[in-house]
Amino acid sequence: LAIHCGGPGSLSSCLYNAEIMLPDELRGSYNIVAVDQRGMGRSEPTFMVEDCAVQLQDEDGALSAMSLINEDSVRAASKVYKQRALRCWNHPGFRLEAEQADGSSRTFHFLEYSGTRQLAEDLERFRVLFGSQKLNIYGISYGTVVMGTYATVFPNNVNLMILDANVDPGSDIVSRTVDDARAKQQRLDYFIASCEFGNGQCGGDRDMRTCVNNVNEMVDAVSEQFDSFLTPFASLFELFGIRIGKSMIMAIVLELLFSVYEEVEFVCDIAADGAVESFWTWLMDKFTIENSNPMVSLIAATNTTNITDLYPMDSESKPTSGFATPDFPFKDYTIFAEVTSVCQDMITAQDMSLGAYDEDRYVKFLMELHQQYPGAGTQMPVGHSIQWYSSTYYWPNSTPLAPMGNPFVKGIIAGQLHDPWTPYQWTQDMRNNFKSATLLTSRSVNHGINAAIGSLSSDSACYDNILRYLETGVVDFTDGKACESAEIGDSCTISEILSNGQCPPHVEPQNNLIAN
């Protein structure tokens, strides 16, 4: 059973996820394989070089200062991404000399031979070395690209296939970015709309959609005053990569609207009346330390929801052990892996096509996309999609994947309706490309059906379908089966929605949710 936990960036330590994902009897039925993908972990050459880390090249803070309603700031960020692409491509360690059969020497560029297709080929080499007739494959998130590509290129060598939380099966970075931003907008819209479904975090039966729209207009009116108010703290915000501006104010106000319930009626009323001065007074009151209300904190994206017990990072095959030291497996590896987006950027740049090679086009695309999906003024939808689109900006030579799919390969294609990271549309597209596979849908707000394991979420019942398939080799449910899940208002807070994060199950409504 070959597994890949996603990223890009998942290492052979993905094996330890099997401790949570699979019960003992199933683990004992399979030889489970995971690898350090080319460029990552202990594999060499490594992607972990400064020339490829855009975050380490942003000396003037252009990335953190980027605002999708300010053209100059988007242009400044585009220049950093362009510089990264050219510096990375020209990094001397990526040019590899190989002696040919006729005695001549040939140069290969590593960044043309370290994408997803090469990983699929490496898995096939594993299959041959193990002497297996067929391979069982299990991919989560980006792992669905890995295993979907394997099933596309080597369909006759697939036994069981599970693709959970699917990524787009195509290679068009433009459509992928649009889908991603749209899904994030829809998740936020659904959370706000859930107030009318009985979401206990909404503070009554107020029409929160209209309220949010009115508040957005208020924030527009006070944004310059707020910028001036926060100017003395600008250097501190810069240190944490936080952009001061309208999107930050809107995120703060949304946090308050969905947590300090007794003030909802007041804020919605003054916003509806267009009372800018009253709104400004209320907002400043939230930032007065003497006030009994806690100082508003900025959102930190965390994902500790589904962690249960930590398993020992060791086995006979010695998988890469999750950065036991800062310098394992290479010097400063932890800094690159945890602070930068190198792994995601390098794989996306190789796998995808049709990126921008013109600054005007880059700027126009992102700003117009933001106009379509503004995230209630927070810039969240496109802000979380920029990295993927920018990975391909000015990339010299991509190696696009073949469209994933095969009419005869069977298995389970699973997806979540309100997944924060992989839009449900991509699961539909993947199922459409694998005509003989069976669709399993969860109404979950989390990323991956496997996320239910170790939690109290009702999604665990949905995951039982996958476990039975691994046990018997038979899909025993109807194509298109939809599993119940906890309501979004019982699972998510507005913080988790705005940070585009996972949501713990069954969160009780709290009147004082914001931490100081």
Side-chain angles (χ1 to χ4, degrees):
L1 174 64
I3 63 174
H4 195 288
C5 294
S10 167
L11 302 177
S12 52
S13 54
C14 175
L15 286 172
Y16 300 110
N17 283 35
E19 296 280 358
I20 299 174
M21 292 162 52
L22 304 177
D24 292 344
E25 59 272 19
L26 270 182
R27 290 202 307 274
S29 301
Y30 289 95
N31 293 317
I32 305 175
V33 177
V35 301
D36 285 6
Q37 189 169 351
R38 298 185 188 194
M40 306 176 200
R42 290 174 291 175
S43 295
E44 298 183 72
T46 179
F47 292 146
M48 309 301 168
V49 295
E50 187 172 341
D51 285 341
C52 297
V54 67
Q55 291 84 358
L56 301 183
Q57 298 178 36
D58 185 23
E59 296 177 357
D60 298 325
L63 300 185
S64 60
M66 183 179 183
S67 170
L68 292 163
I69 57 175
N70 183 309
E71 181 177 329
D72 289 341
S73 73
V74 181
R75 290 190 181 279
S78 75
K79 290 176 171 57
V80 178
Y81 283 114
K82 176 182 177 180
Q83 171 187 274
R84 184 279 308 275
L86 299 180
R87 284 182 58 179
C88 182
W89 185 263
N90 292 316
H91 181 72
F94 293 151
R95 300 189 180 278
L96 310 177
E97 299 290 332
E99 184 176 341
Q100 304 301 291
D102 61 2
S104 63
S105 180
R106 179 181 172 187
T107 300
F108 293 85
H109 199 299
F110 181 61
L111 298 181
E112 295 179 298
Y113 295 92
S114 51
T116 301
R117 183 172 65 85
Q118 284 73 34
L119 177 54
E121 293 171 350
D122 290 341
L123 290 176
E124 175 63 5
R125 293 183 176 96
F126 265 99
R127 185 193 68 81
V128 172
L129 288 171
F130 274 92
S132 303
Q133 290 184 329
K134 294 194 174 186
L135 200 61
N136 302 296
I137 54 178
Y138 191 162
I140 303 165
S141 192
Y142 163 70
T144 64
V145 181
V146 176
M147 300 310 176
T149 298
Y150 182 88
T152 300
V153 179
F154 306 106
N156 296 329
N157 298 336
V158 175
N159 184 33
L160 306 182
M161 178 180 75
I162 303 165
L163 305 181
D164 181 16
N166 289 262
V167 174
D168 176 19
S171 294
D172 179 359
I173 192 61
V174 173
S175 64
R176 179 175 289 191
T177 306
V178 171
D179 286 347
D180 194 36
R182 182 184 68 172
K184 289 168 173 50
Q185 177 72 53
Q186 288 172 328
R187 191 173 187 246
L188 173 59
D189 289 345
Y190 183 65
F191 181 86
I192 295 173
S194 71
C195 293
E196 299 176 57
F197 310 152
N199 184 347
Q201 298 184 60
C202 300
D205 56 359
R206 187 85 191 203
D207 178 0
M208 293 301 290
R209 178 76 268 172
T210 299
C211 178
V212 168
N213 290 341
N214 292 336
V215 167
N216 199 7
E217 293 178 4
M218 291 293 96
V219 170
D220 275 334
V222 303
S223 59
E224 289 188 10
Q225 289 173 268
F226 197 77
D227 285 350
S228 298
F229 171 74
L230 289 180
T231 296
F233 310 102
S235 58
L236 178 63
F237 286 123
E238 231 175 80
L239 180 65
F240 290 96
I242 298 171
R243 177 179 62 247
I244 296 176
K246 182 201 169 214
S247 61
M248 188 183 81
I249 313 172
M250 197 60 200
I252 292 171
V253 173
L254 285 178
E255 286 240 25
L256 290 166
L257 281 178
F258 287 93
S259 58
V260 187
Y261 302 147
E262 65 269 16
E263 301 191 32
V264 171
E265 290 294 323
F266 172 72
V267 176
C268 291
D269 284 343
I270 62 175
D273 293 340
V276 175
E277 188 172 332
S278 297
F279 181 80
W280 174 250
T281 301
W282 172 81
L283 186 62
M284 285 297 94
D285 183 60
K286 300 302 135 192
F287 281 82
T288 302
I289 297 177
E290 289 79 11
N291 193 300
S292 58
N293 288 315
M295 191 73 169
V296 176
S297 65
L298 298 173
I299 302 165
T302 58
N303 181 19
T304 57
T305 301
N306 298 301
I307 295 177
T308 52
D309 298 321
L310 295 178
Y311 289 84
M313 304 297 274
D314 196 11
S315 78
E316 292 183 4
S317 57
K318 304 292 183 187
T320 299
S321 59
F323 318 131
T325 69
D327 294 328
F328 178 83
F330 302 118
K331 182 173 176 55
D332 296 328
Y333 189 95
T334 302
I335 295 175
F336 283 99
E338 297 184 357
V339 178
T340 76
S341 56
V342 170
C343 295
Q344 295 94 325
D345 294 344
M346 296 300 97
I347 299 301
T348 303
Q350 292 182 69
D351 286 357
M352 303 304 292
S353 61
L354 306 177
Y357 292 92
D358 176 81
E359 184 177 300
D360 290 340
R361 190 177 305 279
Y362 175 91
V363 172
K364 181 180 179 182
F365 172 75
L366 289 176
M367 295 188 72
E368 288 183 352
L369 190 62
H370 168 65
Q371 290 296 316
Q372 191 173 3
Y373 305 116
T378 65
Q379 301 191 27
M380 179 272 292
V382 181
H384 280 278
S385 304
I386 286 172
Q387 175 203 334
W388 306 106
Y389 183 69
S390 301
S391 297
T392 65
Y393 182 54
Y394 259 90
W395 191 253
N397 198 12
S398 61
T399 312
L401 297 173
M404 280 163 262
N406 182 279
F408 305 113
V409 174
K410 298 179 180 181
I412 294 176
I413 308 289
Q416 301 71 45
L417 279 177
H418 307 290
D419 191 315
W421 300 330
T422 52
Y424 179 69
Q425 180 60 47
W426 293 347
T427 291
Q428 289 275 332
D429 293 341
M430 191 73 85
R431 165 61 185 83
N432 190 51
N433 287 10
F434 285 97
K435 304 292 186 184
S436 298
T438 303
L439 175 65
L440 178 63
T441 298
S442 168
R443 295 191 177 99
S444 173
V445 294
N446 284 314
H447 180 56
I449 289 178
N450 71 294
I453 301 303
S455 75
L456 299 177
S457 171
S458 59
D459 295 354
S460 58
C462 201
Y463 191 67
D464 286 343
N465 294 283
I466 291 176
L467 296 180
R468 291 196 307 273
Y469 175 60
L470 286 170
E471 182 178 358
T472 66
V474 176
V475 176
D476 60 3
F477 57 89
T478 304
D479 187 28
K481 177 176 181 177
C483 304
E484 293 298 328
S485 182
E487 298 292 338
I488 192 169
D490 295 332
S491 294
C492 298
T493 65
I494 190 64
S495 296
E496 289 147 353
I497 297 294
L498 294 178
S499 63
N500 198 43
Q502 298 274 62
C503 300
H506 308 302
V507 172
E508 294 298 328
Q510 301 176 43
N511 193 43
N512 190 15
L513 187 65
I514 302 172
N516 58 27

